[in-house]
Amino acid sequence: MIKFENVSKSYGESKVLKDLSFQINQGDFVVLIGPSGCGKTTTLRTINRLIEPDSGTIYIDGNDISALNPVELRRSIGYVIQQIGLFPNMTVEENIAVVPKLLKYPKEKWQPIVKDLLGLVGMPYDENAHKYPSELSGGQQQRIGVLRALAASPPIVLMDEPFGALDPITREALQEEVKRIQKKLKKTIVFVTHDMDEALKMADVIVFMSGGKILQMASPEELLQHPADPLISEFMGKHRGTVNINANLTAADFMKTRVLKASGSMQTLQSVELMRNRDVNSMIVLNEDDTYAGTVSLDTIKTHGKAGRAIGEFMETGVPTVNLKEDARETFEKLYTSPAGYVVVLNDDMSVAGLITKTSMAKAMGEALWGEMIS
Amino acid sequence: MTNLMPLILEHLMIVLIAAFIAVFIGVSLGILSYWVRYLDKAILWTAEIIQTIPNLALLAMLMIIFGLGNVTIIAGLVLYALLPIIRNTYIGLESVPSHLKDAARGMGMSRLQRLMKVEMPLSFPLVFSGIKLAVVNSLSIAVMGVLIGAGGLGYPIYRGIQTGSVERILTGAIPVVLMALILDYLMSKVEKRLVHKGTRG
Ligand SMILES: Nc1ncnc2c1ncn2[C@@H]1O[C@H](COP(=O)(O)OP(=O)(O)OP(=O)(O)O)[C@@H](O)[C@H]1O
Ligand SMILES: [Mg+2]
């Protein structure tokens, strides 16, 4: 457990950290995010004493770290930086073994560690251990950067924008690997980024900083639903639409409202004409008081309809209906089992609010996940 | 020609002894300039001043301290060799990319461990080229040793000047030039072997 208590830091006149107090629980993946210059890196580097605060105290597992030997402290905390920082004069194996060697592990102990770790990221030992960093791709280099931080099994790992310089595909692969490793090895990870996607994907807890202060510290879910500051909502940009993905999506969010409706007294041929004009193959039939009565499709008209009959006489009533406020999951299940391939959404007064088809459902889900769709 | 060999060996000996001492002192001072803030200016500045003292004047001053003989010329060579070695060590250490220094610190290396495991290996090419320059310079400066009673190839050259014999001058000068070429070549070979595979080009 890491605990900040009234931690402040200034460079000359400018206050970089302003009286920070917060706590990171063991095994959590904590992401520090915020605009450039807000103090994320500074906060991170106070944890392994690469930066000493002017005032305040940082505790790790209850120990005031300013009382510990900084060199020994750093050996017990993993550290990964954006520029990767592999030592070019050392092989992959030597790089990974840096901290174990500083801790005087014998070779019989550190070599198996190197092998295990390389296996963890799918880089076979025999192929990679004796290469120099310059012979690896950027993604491979940062994998080694991460392994180097893990080699002496530190319970805490600090990562400062570790994937910032990687291409999107490599970044995604590494995000998944790190998340998997973190879960598997139960590490406490403090991770700096200014990419909200990355934060939402990786974090158990997001710490949103601005101007040397914490604006909000919350789970990704909480941050999405209740951003505590306009700056946070702005930072989330395209994620703003996703607010209610699990919690409160209802049938109303998925339906299309432009649907073809007609009174039950409408005659067969007229309704066929209407459906052809709108390029649809079914329509909703209403009672005299505009409440929902049933549906007719071109197919039913072909088999049962005769010119001059009212559609209300042979309409179907088997299409599922849902209330406007029905939750998303129920709605989805009804849609999935509907023989007609759609469900009818009703207002409280039983008038028709809209239709949900598989297409409208998919579109709405897409928007919820990835933001506004173009068409 | 038969009596030239001892002179060549003595010349080489003087230069190599001076080089070893200069490397030891120069690299140490280079590291000190890198480690101790504000000391860098003082050290580099002093070494530069020494470099600008004319050979004869410097040797004369050293002669007052060390008397006549090889010790004086060795001391002079050391002083001249210091600047390129200190400067290249200092610049080499300073120019190790800061993210590597940061990583080394973050891994929990002490200052000495950072120096030995990361900073020196990475500055090695520059340090070594400083040493090479110093050695090659020393070969020709060592010729001045004859004026303060030291041995080496200065003697035949000096005699040649006195007797107006170009042949004698060349007898001394050609081995100096050849030695410079050979040493330069050998040291470049050594450099290639020592510079780490990972840091090369
Ligand atoms: N050594 C220093 N001397 C003076 N000012 C500094 C120093 N280090 C950082 N700062 C300032 O402190 C502030 C916070 O810096 P920090 O590196 O923590 O920001 P950050 O949130 O990590 O930003 P970024 O997203 O750009 O990496 C910045 O305004 C920066 O200019
Ligand atoms: Mg930063």
Side-chain angles (χ1 to χ4, degrees):
Chain A
M1 196 185 76
I2 307 169
K3 190 173 169 197
F4 277 63
E5 217 174 70
N6 308 104
V7 172
S8 294
K9 174 74 184 176
S10 301
Y11 288 110
E13 288 297 286
S14 72
K15 287 193 168 171
V16 177
L17 301 183
K18 297 173 187 161
D19 203 31
L20 280 191
S21 295
F22 66 102
Q23 187 172 313
I24 291 170
N25 292 325
Q26 186 148 3
D28 269 357
F29 199 118
V30 176
V31 174
L32 303 181
I33 192 169
S36 189
C38 69
K40 305 180 292 291
T41 297
T42 309
T43 305
L44 193 78
R45 287 161 64 91
T46 53
I47 298 174
N48 63 359
R49 291 188 62 188
L50 287 172
I51 292 174
E52 301 283 351
D54 299 331
S55 62
T57 319
I58 299 165
Y59 299 92
I60 293 180
D61 295 333
N63 301 313
D64 175 355
I65 61 168
S66 68
L68 305 175
N69 177 321
V71 166
E72 279 165 22
L73 175 74
R74 288 175 204 142
R75 289 176 189 169
S76 71
I77 298 177
Y79 186 49
V80 185
I81 56 177
Q82 178 174 0
Q83 307 89 332
I84 304 177
L86 294 181
F87 304 122
N89 54 317
M90 301 181 192
T91 60
V92 164
E93 175 165 45
E94 289 165 338
N95 265 290
I96 297 176
V98 160
V99 184
K101 281 182 179 173
L102 289 172
L103 292 169
K104 306 259 184 320
Y105 287 18
K107 189 172 180 183
E108 309 84 72
K109 191 168 166 198
W110 61 250
Q111 198 158 42
I113 294 178
V114 173
K115 286 186 183 170
D116 285 352
L117 287 173
L118 282 171
L120 208 55
V121 295
M123 291 176 67
Y125 178 89
D126 294 325
E127 239 170 78
N128 294 288
H130 304 294
K131 284 186 180 161
Y132 284 92
S134 56
E135 300 171 83
L136 302 177
S137 72
Q140 290 175 321
Q141 289 185 22
Q142 192 55 297
R143 281 186 178 87
I144 304 304
V146 171
L147 299 187
R148 179 175 64 174
L150 295 171
S153 324
I156 298 170
V157 181
L158 310 178
M159 302 189 168
D160 195 348
E161 303 198 34
F163 312 138
L166 303 177
D167 65 87
I169 293 168
T170 312
R171 180 184 323 173
E172 204 154 311
L174 269 145
Q175 285 168 346
E176 277 160 25
E177 279 169 34
V178 164
K179 190 69 193 170
R180 180 170 53 83
I181 290 171
Q182 183 249 349
K183 277 191 189 143
K184 184 172 172 193
L185 306 179
K186 301 192 172 54
K187 302 290 179 195
T188 306
I189 294 189
V190 189
F191 187 106
V192 169
T193 182
H194 49 235
D195 175 0
M196 189 49 96
D197 266 335
E198 191 166 66
L200 293 172
K201 197 181 293 178
M202 313 278 284
D204 297 316
V205 178
I206 295 179
V207 178
F208 195 102
M209 295 183 68
S210 170
K213 284 196 281 211
I214 294 178
L215 287 188
Q216 188 171 14
M217 180 166 176
S219 68
E221 194 68 15
E222 173 76 11
L223 202 79
L224 283 167
Q225 287 183 28
H226 309 289
D229 191 280
L231 183 64
I232 301 177
S233 333
E234 190 189 315
F235 224 80
M236 286 188 297
K238 61 177 174 161
H239 296 285
R240 263 178 299 179
T242 71
V243 173
N244 29 29
I245 181 131
N246 290 329
N248 38 19
L249 275 186
T250 64
D253 294 309
F254 298 124
M255 68 185 183
K256 55 178 188 183
T257 48
R258 272 194 62 210
V259 294
L260 194 55
K261 287 172 280 193
S263 155
S265 59
M266 185 180 277
Q267 310 248 300
T268 314
L269 288 181
Q270 192 187 358
S271 70
V272 171
E273 193 61 27
L274 269 176
M275 283 189 264
R276 289 211 172 120
N277 275 346
R278 291 274 294 273
D279 201 19
V280 294
N281 53 21
S282 61
M283 64 195 294
I284 288 169
V285 184
L286 302 178
N287 296 319
E288 292 305 314
D289 57 357
D290 274 357
T291 56
Y292 172 74
T295 61
V296 286
S297 68
L298 287 175
D299 282 346
T300 24
I301 293 176
K302 261 185 213 148
T303 43
H304 304 286
K306 285 192 190 106
R309 279 185 75 183
I311 52 176
E313 289 171 33
F314 56 86
M315 68 182 181
E316 298 163 78
T317 50
V319 174
T321 61
V322 295
N323 184 274
L324 196 64
K325 298 192 208 87
E326 186 71 88
D327 84 41
R329 182 183 291 259
E330 278 306 307
T331 310
F332 188 80
E333 265 160 25
K334 281 191 176 162
L335 172 65
Y336 200 71
T337 52
S338 163
Y342 60 93
V343 296
V344 179
V345 185
L346 301 180
N347 294 312
D348 287 339
D349 61 6
M350 301 305 281
S351 61
V352 173
L355 268 188
I356 298 178
T357 63
K358 285 177 179 163
T359 312
S360 74
M361 185 86 171
K363 184 162 176 277
M365 296 275 252
E367 278 170 10
L369 278 172
W370 301 302
E372 201 63 34
M373 293 294 190
I374 295 147
S375 60
Chain B
M1 254 340 210
T2 42
N3 57 356
L4 205 59
M5 210 53 212
L7 291 183
I8 293 177
L9 286 179
E10 189 172 17
H11 198 90
L12 194 63
M13 211 57 204
I14 289 170
V15 167
L16 290 184
I17 290 172
F20 275 111
I21 299 173
V23 166
F24 182 77
I25 300 177
V27 170
S28 306
L29 288 177
I31 291 168
L32 203 65
S33 327
Y34 169 62
W35 270 356
V36 186
R37 217 196 270 244
Y38 306 123
L39 214 54
D40 53 350
K41 294 246 162 36
I43 291 175
L44 284 165
W45 192 69
T46 311
E48 254 167 74
I49 296 273
I50 293 173
Q51 197 81 356
T52 60
I53 304 174
N55 298 354
L56 271 179
L58 184 72
L59 289 177
M61 286 191 286
L62 290 172
M63 203 171 61
I64 296 169
I65 305 169
F66 295 109
L68 291 173
N70 287 348
V71 176
T72 307
I73 187 66
I74 288 172
L77 293 180
V78 168
L79 287 178
Y80 279 119
L82 283 180
L83 182 64
I85 297 174
I86 297 175
R87 193 180 46 203
N88 282 22
T89 306
Y90 174 76
I91 294 174
L93 293 172
E94 279 284 324
S95 58
V96 171
S98 58
H99 67 267
L100 294 181
K101 295 178 183 175
D102 186 58
R105 220 152 74 87
M107 296 296 115
M109 289 190 194
S110 66
R111 192 155 76 159
L112 189 63
Q113 285 167 333
R114 277 182 336 250
L115 184 79
M116 300 312 289
K117 288 174 190 286
V118 178
E119 294 162 347
M120 274 313 264
L122 293 181
S123 343
F124 180 79
L126 205 58
V127 176
F128 199 79
S129 77
I131 294 171
K132 210 162 70 175
L133 183 70
V135 169
V136 172
N137 280 344
S138 300
L139 278 170
S140 51
I141 299 174
V143 170
M144 306 293 286
V146 66
L147 301 174
I148 49 167
L153 290 165
Y155 182 71
I157 294 172
Y158 181 69
R159 290 293 295 166
I161 294 170
Q162 277 191 326
T163 58
S165 158
V166 176
E167 193 189 332
R168 275 208 158 164
I169 296 178
L170 289 180
T171 315
I174 289 172
V176 172
V177 173
L178 287 180
M179 268 198 285
L181 290 175
I182 291 168
L183 275 181
D184 191 68
Y185 174 78
L186 288 179
M187 290 175 79
S188 300
K189 280 260 162 192
V190 171
E191 183 175 12
K192 280 230 178 69
R193 303 205 72 184
L194 289 183
V195 170
H196 230 283
K197 198 176 159 208
T199 50
R200 212 177 284 156

